[in-house]
Amino acid sequence: ASRSETAIACLAQALDATSFQSAMDVLSEGLRGILDCHKVALATVSPGSTRVRVVTITHTGKVNRRAEQVSRIEDALRESVVLGESITFDPVAPTTGPRQLALEIGATSIVTAPIRDTQGNIVGALLATYDDGSANHAAALRRFAKYESLFASCLVTTQSKHADVATRAAGRLWRTAVTLRTIAALVLLAGLGLAAMMPWPYRLKCDFQCEPVHRRFVAAPFDGTLSTTHVLPGQQVQAGELLAELDGRELRSELAG
């Protein structure tokens, strides 16, 4: 009765957890008590596949998914999921992977088992390590079988609950990002519109010649020789300004006649 009360309390605590990770930590601790083992690695299994993902290991903290040991744990769990039954490994087991894993973690034996719901669907998997050579694995698995569907239901419910929260949070972030992108696009278009309306200077480099708007041709009242000029071609002058002088010797000679 005490073990049943502990299991029910564990499930209730997992359902009330504020995050999926903390819920999985609670479930793994509850499974450790039921299996009477040293450590438990708990994994989720993708629906309709054999994809196994370790989510928690008791007394380990955050799972490093890149660690070689975690990869070997997932391999051992995947074998149990594929076969659809529990498997017991020990350091003298014929398979290299589990034997190496048992040696690494200092366990005398390792038990893996799929976790099925009431319809028989595999929704998760567990790996239990034992450091006592006299452990009764069969009895531990019988105890687990009594609560298996309850743990499976809690696992699925918790996963769905926190996945919905994550989905809503992702949706809010997406909507915020879309709004920010829309505002940024409008600001950019407004800036381009203002830039197009501004009178920007236009510079052109080339050779040119300035010509007056109104041309005035100045001629002497009689023929003669130009002796002196007082202005240059294109120079700006004022009305009445002396422009040039004629040689008056020929004219004076004719007048003196």
Side-chain angles (χ1 to χ4, degrees):
S2 176
R3 199 184 295 274
S4 297
E5 291 173 358
T6 302
I8 291 172
C10 167
L11 293 169
Q13 186 180 352
L15 289 172
D16 290 337
T18 56
S19 69
F20 178 69
Q21 186 60 56
S22 59
M24 295 302 100
D25 292 342
V26 171
L27 285 182
S28 66
E29 195 63 39
L31 287 169
R32 190 174 75 88
I34 291 172
L35 294 166
D36 195 20
C37 61
H38 179 58
K39 283 187 178 183
V40 168
L42 183 60
T44 58
V45 177
S46 300
S49 73
T50 58
R51 183 174 180 269
V52 176
R53 181 176 182 271
V54 173
V55 291
T56 185
I57 302 173
T58 51
H59 309 306
T60 302
K62 187 177 180 180
V63 176
N64 180 8
R65 299 196 51 75
R66 296 184 178 180
E68 188 65 28
Q69 189 177 102
V70 173
S71 178
R72 275 196 279 271
I73 291 174
E74 290 181 341
D75 289 341
L77 289 169
R78 190 175 298 108
E79 184 176 351
S80 184
V81 169
V82 171
L83 294 176
E85 59 185 24
S86 60
I87 305 174
T88 301
F89 302 102
D90 56 52
V92 294
T95 50
T96 305
R99 180 173 68 245
Q100 180 65 29
L101 179 61
L103 291 172
E104 279 184 7
I105 61 181
T108 58
S109 59
I110 294 175
V111 174
T112 60
I115 302 176
R116 288 185 170 88
D117 60 15
T118 53
Q119 284 76 39
N121 299 314
I122 297 177
V123 298
L126 65 87
L127 180 146
T129 66
Y130 292 86
D131 53 7
D132 182 3
S134 62
N136 190 336
H137 303 128
L141 290 171
R142 283 195 298 271
R143 288 195 302 271
F144 166 69
K146 292 174 57 178
Y147 307 102
E148 180 178 4
S149 61
L150 293 176
F151 274 87
S153 177
C154 184
L155 177 62
V156 172
T157 302
T158 306
Q159 194 172 12
S160 176
K161 171 186 172 183
H162 293 288
D164 290 342
V165 172
T167 301
R168 288 195 296 272
R172 286 195 296 270
L173 289 174
W174 173 255
R175 287 191 294 273
T176 301
V178 169
T179 302
L180 291 175
R181 285 199 296 268
T182 302
I183 293 173
L186 291 175
V187 170
L188 179 60
L189 288 174
L192 291 174
L194 289 174
M197 295 172 62
M198 293 180 64
W200 295 96
Y202 181 77
R203 293 181 174 86
L204 180 65
K205 184 178 180 180
C206 64
D207 297 330
F208 66 94
Q209 181 179 357
C210 290
E211 294 186 357
V213 178
H214 303 289
R215 290 179 178 273
R216 295 291 185 268
F217 294 96
V218 181
F222 50 83
D223 296 335
T225 303
L226 188 65
S227 62
T228 306
T229 59
H230 297 284
V231 294
L232 298 173
Q235 181 179 334
Q236 187 173 357
V237 298
Q238 302 293 328
E241 185 176 343
L242 180 62
L243 304 180
E245 297 181 23
L246 293 173
D247 186 354
R249 287 178 296 177
E250 184 177 348
L251 179 60
R252 288 194 295 272
S253 175
E254 289 181 0
L255 291 174

PDB file of all heavy atoms in Angstrom, residues 223-242:
ATOM      1  N   ASP A 223      35.424 103.393 -90.403  1.00  0.00           N
ATOM      2  CA  ASP A 223      36.526 102.432 -90.507  1.00  0.00           C
ATOM      3  C   ASP A 223      37.792 102.995 -89.903  1.00  0.00           C
ATOM      4  O   ASP A 223      38.035 104.211 -89.953  1.00  0.00           O
ATOM      5  CB  ASP A 223      36.784 102.060 -91.978  1.00  0.00           C
ATOM      6  CG  ASP A 223      35.594 101.334 -92.589  1.00  0.00           C
ATOM      7  OD1 ASP A 223      34.831 100.708 -91.788  1.00  0.00           O
ATOM      8  OD2 ASP A 223      35.441 101.366 -93.823  1.00  0.00           O
ATOM      9  N   GLY A 224      38.591 102.109 -89.341  1.00  0.00           N
ATOM     10  CA  GLY A 224      39.850 102.553 -88.771  1.00  0.00           C
ATOM     11  C   GLY A 224      40.637 101.361 -88.249  1.00  0.00           C
ATOM     12  O   GLY A 224      40.197 100.211 -88.294  1.00  0.00           O
ATOM     13  N   THR A 225      41.788 101.659 -87.726  1.00  0.00           N
ATOM     14  CA  THR A 225      42.662 100.609 -87.168  1.00  0.00           C
ATOM     15  C   THR A 225      42.521 100.604 -85.664  1.00  0.00           C
ATOM     16  O   THR A 225      42.617 101.661 -85.013  1.00  0.00           O
ATOM     17  CB  THR A 225      44.124 100.868 -87.565  1.00  0.00           C
ATOM     18  OG1 THR A 225      44.221 100.924 -88.999  1.00  0.00           O
ATOM     19  CG2 THR A 225      45.030  99.772 -87.033  1.00  0.00           C
ATOM     20  N   LEU A 226      42.278  99.415 -85.099  1.00  0.00           N
ATOM     21  CA  LEU A 226      42.145  99.271 -83.651  1.00  0.00           C
ATOM     22  C   LEU A 226      43.526  99.305 -83.029  1.00  0.00           C
ATOM     23  O   LEU A 226      44.381  98.489 -83.326  1.00  0.00           O
ATOM     24  CB  LEU A 226      41.457  97.935 -83.316  1.00  0.00           C
ATOM     25  CG  LEU A 226      41.068  97.714 -81.859  1.00  0.00           C
ATOM     26  CD1 LEU A 226      40.003  98.716 -81.436  1.00  0.00           C
ATOM     27  CD2 LEU A 226      40.556  96.285 -81.668  1.00  0.00           C
ATOM     28  N   SER A 227      43.717 100.283 -82.163  1.00  0.00           N
ATOM     29  CA  SER A 227      45.054 100.440 -81.573  1.00  0.00           C
ATOM     30  C   SER A 227      45.147  99.856 -80.172  1.00  0.00           C
ATOM     31  O   SER A 227      46.184  99.322 -79.779  1.00  0.00           O
ATOM     32  CB  SER A 227      45.420 101.936 -81.511  1.00  0.00           C
ATOM     33  OG  SER A 227      44.492 102.630 -80.673  1.00  0.00           O
ATOM     34  N   THR A 228      44.048  99.900 -79.409  1.00  0.00           N
ATOM     35  CA  THR A 228      44.102  99.430 -78.022  1.00  0.00           C
ATOM     36  C   THR A 228      42.751  98.807 -77.646  1.00  0.00           C
ATOM     37  O   THR A 228      41.692  99.346 -78.006  1.00  0.00           O
ATOM     38  CB  THR A 228      44.390 100.579 -77.043  1.00  0.00           C
ATOM     39  OG1 THR A 228      45.587 101.249 -77.456  1.00  0.00           O
ATOM     40  CG2 THR A 228      44.542 100.070 -75.612  1.00  0.00           C
ATOM     41  N   THR A 229      42.781  97.658 -76.904  1.00  0.00           N
ATOM     42  CA  THR A 229      41.550  97.054 -76.341  1.00  0.00           C
ATOM     43  C   THR A 229      41.661  97.080 -74.824  1.00  0.00           C
ATOM     44  O   THR A 229      42.736  96.840 -74.265  1.00  0.00           O
ATOM     45  CB  THR A 229      41.370  95.609 -76.819  1.00  0.00           C
ATOM     46  OG1 THR A 229      42.509  94.838 -76.431  1.00  0.00           O
ATOM     47  CG2 THR A 229      41.217  95.552 -78.331  1.00  0.00           C
ATOM     48  N   HIS A 230      40.560  97.360 -74.161  1.00  0.00           N
ATOM     49  CA  HIS A 230      40.543  97.474 -72.694  1.00  0.00           C
ATOM     50  C   HIS A 230      39.799  96.305 -72.004  1.00  0.00           C
ATOM     51  O   HIS A 230      39.761  96.261 -70.784  1.00  0.00           O
ATOM     52  CB  HIS A 230      39.882  98.801 -72.291  1.00  0.00           C
ATOM     53  CG  HIS A 230      40.637  99.990 -72.773  1.00  0.00           C
ATOM     54  ND1 HIS A 230      41.820 100.446 -72.191  1.00  0.00           N
ATOM     55  CD2 HIS A 230      40.410 100.841 -73.824  1.00  0.00           C
ATOM     56  CE1 HIS A 230      42.268 101.522 -72.825  1.00  0.00           C
ATOM     57  NE2 HIS A 230      41.411 101.778 -73.837  1.00  0.00           N
ATOM     58  N   VAL A 231      39.203  95.397 -72.775  1.00  0.00           N
ATOM     59  CA  VAL A 231      38.495  94.246 -72.206  1.00  0.00           C
ATOM     60  C   VAL A 231      38.895  92.976 -72.944  1.00  0.00           C
ATOM     61  O   VAL A 231      39.454  93.049 -74.046  1.00  0.00           O
ATOM     62  CB  VAL A 231      36.965  94.431 -72.269  1.00  0.00           C
ATOM     63  CG1 VAL A 231      36.510  95.583 -71.373  1.00  0.00           C
ATOM     64  CG2 VAL A 231      36.514  94.615 -73.687  1.00  0.00           C
ATOM     65  N   LEU A 232      38.575  91.823 -72.320  1.00  0.00           N
ATOM     66  CA  LEU A 232      38.872  90.515 -72.917  1.00  0.00           C
ATOM     67  C   LEU A 232      37.591  89.891 -73.441  1.00  0.00           C
ATOM     68  O   LEU A 232      36.485  90.230 -72.993  1.00  0.00           O
ATOM     69  CB  LEU A 232      39.516  89.584 -71.883  1.00  0.00           C
ATOM     70  CG  LEU A 232      40.867  90.039 -71.315  1.00  0.00           C
ATOM     71  CD1 LEU A 232      41.293  89.112 -70.196  1.00  0.00           C
ATOM     72  CD2 LEU A 232      41.919  90.100 -72.422  1.00  0.00           C
ATOM     73  N   PRO A 233      37.690  88.944 -74.363  1.00  0.00           N
ATOM     74  CA  PRO A 233      36.484  88.268 -74.856  1.00  0.00           C
ATOM     75  C   PRO A 233      35.723  87.589 -73.704  1.00  0.00           C
ATOM     76  O   PRO A 233      36.315  86.884 -72.888  1.00  0.00           O
ATOM     77  CB  PRO A 233      37.026  87.246 -75.847  1.00  0.00           C
ATOM     78  CG  PRO A 233      38.332  87.816 -76.291  1.00  0.00           C
ATOM     79  CD  PRO A 233      38.898  88.526 -75.105  1.00  0.00           C
ATOM     80  N   GLY A 234      34.422  87.788 -73.605  1.00  0.00           N
ATOM     81  CA  GLY A 234      33.590  87.186 -72.567  1.00  0.00           C
ATOM     82  C   GLY A 234      33.580  87.945 -71.258  1.00  0.00           C
ATOM     83  O   GLY A 234      32.889  87.555 -70.326  1.00  0.00           O
ATOM     84  N   GLN A 235      34.360  89.037 -71.149  1.00  0.00           N
ATOM     85  CA  GLN A 235      34.415  89.801 -69.909  1.00  0.00           C
ATOM     86  C   GLN A 235      33.134  90.607 -69.725  1.00  0.00           C
ATOM     87  O   GLN A 235      32.582  91.150 -70.667  1.00  0.00           O
ATOM     88  CB  GLN A 235      35.636  90.713 -69.923  1.00  0.00           C
ATOM     89  CG  GLN A 235      35.806  91.534 -68.650  1.00  0.00           C
ATOM     90  CD  GLN A 235      37.055  92.407 -68.694  1.00  0.00           C
ATOM     91  OE1 GLN A 235      38.018  92.082 -69.393  1.00  0.00           O
ATOM     92  NE2 GLN A 235      37.041  93.506 -67.953  1.00  0.00           N
ATOM     93  N   GLN A 236      32.635  90.657 -68.458  1.00  0.00           N
ATOM     94  CA  GLN A 236      31.423  91.417 -68.170  1.00  0.00           C
ATOM     95  C   GLN A 236      31.786  92.913 -68.077  1.00  0.00           C
ATOM     96  O   GLN A 236      32.756  93.285 -67.424  1.00  0.00           O
ATOM     97  CB  GLN A 236      30.800  90.952 -66.852  1.00  0.00           C
ATOM     98  CG  GLN A 236      29.458  91.563 -66.542  1.00  0.00           C
ATOM     99  CD  GLN A 236      28.824  90.939 -65.305  1.00  0.00           C
ATOM    100  OE1 GLN A 236      29.383  90.022 -64.733  1.00  0.00           O
ATOM    101  NE2 GLN A 236      27.683  91.427 -64.915  1.00  0.00           N
ATOM    102  N   VAL A 237      30.982  93.765 -68.726  1.00  0.00           N
ATOM    103  CA  VAL A 237      31.246  95.230 -68.763  1.00  0.00           C
ATOM    104  C   VAL A 237      29.978  95.970 -68.356  1.00  0.00           C
ATOM    105  O   VAL A 237      28.876  95.407 -68.330  1.00  0.00           O
ATOM    106  CB  VAL A 237      31.714  95.672 -70.160  1.00  0.00           C
ATOM    107  CG1 VAL A 237      33.026  94.999 -70.526  1.00  0.00           C
ATOM    108  CG2 VAL A 237      30.654  95.337 -71.207  1.00  0.00           C
ATOM    109  N   GLN A 238      30.155  97.231 -68.048  1.00  0.00           N
ATOM    110  CA  GLN A 238      29.058  98.105 -67.687  1.00  0.00           C
ATOM    111  C   GLN A 238      28.762  99.074 -68.828  1.00  0.00           C
ATOM    112  O   GLN A 238      29.619  99.339 -69.697  1.00  0.00           O
ATOM    113  CB  GLN A 238      29.416  98.906 -66.417  1.00  0.00           C
ATOM    114  CG  GLN A 238      29.756  98.039 -65.202  1.00  0.00           C
ATOM    115  CD  GLN A 238      28.557  97.269 -64.698  1.00  0.00           C
ATOM    116  OE1 GLN A 238      27.422  97.751 -64.807  1.00  0.00           O
ATOM    117  NE2 GLN A 238      28.809  96.063 -64.165  1.00  0.00           N
ATOM    118  N   ALA A 239      27.561  99.590 -68.823  1.00  0.00           N
ATOM    119  CA  ALA A 239      27.173 100.565 -69.868  1.00  0.00           C
ATOM    120  C   ALA A 239      28.056 101.810 -69.775  1.00  0.00           C
ATOM    121  O   ALA A 239      28.304 102.331 -68.683  1.00  0.00           O
ATOM    122  CB  ALA A 239      25.699 100.942 -69.695  1.00  0.00           C
ATOM    123  N   GLY A 240      28.563 102.311 -70.921  1.00  0.00           N
ATOM    124  CA  GLY A 240      29.409 103.493 -70.966  1.00  0.00           C
ATOM    125  C   GLY A 240      30.876 103.220 -70.748  1.00  0.00           C
ATOM    126  O   GLY A 240      31.700 104.140 -70.803  1.00  0.00           O
ATOM    127  N   GLU A 241      31.210 101.950 -70.465  1.00  0.00           N
ATOM    128  CA  GLU A 241      32.614 101.610 -70.211  1.00  0.00           C
ATOM    129  C   GLU A 241      33.387 101.607 -71.523  1.00  0.00           C
ATOM    130  O   GLU A 241      32.889 101.156 -72.555  1.00  0.00           O
ATOM    131  CB  GLU A 241      32.680 100.238 -69.530  1.00  0.00           C
ATOM    132  CG  GLU A 241      34.092  99.827 -69.100  1.00  0.00           C
ATOM    133  CD  GLU A 241      34.102  98.510 -68.350  1.00  0.00           C
ATOM    134  OE1 GLU A 241      33.025  98.079 -67.873  1.00  0.00           O
ATOM    135  OE2 GLU A 241      35.189  97.904 -68.233  1.00  0.00           O
ATOM    136  N   LEU A 242      34.606 102.120 -71.511  1.00  0.00           N
ATOM    137  CA  LEU A 242      35.472 102.170 -72.695  1.00  0.00           C
ATOM    138  C   LEU A 242      35.949 100.777 -73.023  1.00  0.00           C
ATOM    139  O   LEU A 242      36.547 100.099 -72.196  1.00  0.00           O
ATOM    140  CB  LEU A 242      36.677 103.088 -72.437  1.00  0.00           C
ATOM    141  CG  LEU A 242      37.677 103.240 -73.590  1.00  0.00           C
ATOM    142  CD1 LEU A 242      36.988 103.871 -74.813  1.00  0.00           C
ATOM    143  CD2 LEU A 242      38.881 104.079 -73.166  1.00  0.00           C
TER     144      LEU A 242
END
